[in-house]
Amino acid sequence: MPIMDSSNDRGAESAPGKKNLESLIERRLGNRIRDVRVMVRPTGLILRGRAATYHAKQLAQHAAMEKATMPILSNEIEVM
């Protein structure tokens, strides 16, 4: 089940920008990551989801860092 938290989504990243980041991560990592969500906070982004390996978790963070206009505050992607 996807992890969602849209009640507090705000900040410089627009909804389409947030979805683009989620799509980019999913495209780059394929089946190594699931249920990717980018939570937007006033001071930055929080990554959530599930990854097959720690390496996939790190790759997701680096993909987000490349395109995001805000800093990554936390990588809460769970390694399963």
Side-chain angles (χ1 to χ4, degrees):
M1 179 171 206
I3 301 168
M4 295 188 186
D5 178 8
S6 59
S7 61
N8 292 324
D9 287 355
R10 57 191 181 264
E13 293 288 333
S14 65
K18 178 180 119 158
K19 290 294 177 196
N20 286 341
L21 280 175
E22 292 169 352
S23 295
L24 171 72
I25 293 168
E26 288 174 346
R27 275 195 317 272
R28 286 202 184 167
L29 296 169
N31 64 356
R32 293 183 288 172
I33 195 148
R34 295 179 303 203
D35 302 327
V36 174
R37 294 292 173 262
V38 176
M39 311 284 92
V40 180
R41 299 296 179 256
T43 56
L45 306 174
I46 298 171
L47 305 179
R48 292 191 178 157
R50 291 181 278 171
T53 65
Y54 180 77
H55 185 247
K57 174 180 176 163
Q58 292 303 104
L59 289 174
Q61 179 173 325
H62 283 276
M65 287 168 41
E66 274 181 37
K67 298 294 180 185
T69 59
M70 298 176 76
I72 307 297
L73 298 176
S74 179
N75 184 344
E76 298 178 3
I77 295 172
E78 295 178 65
V79 178
M80 307 298 283

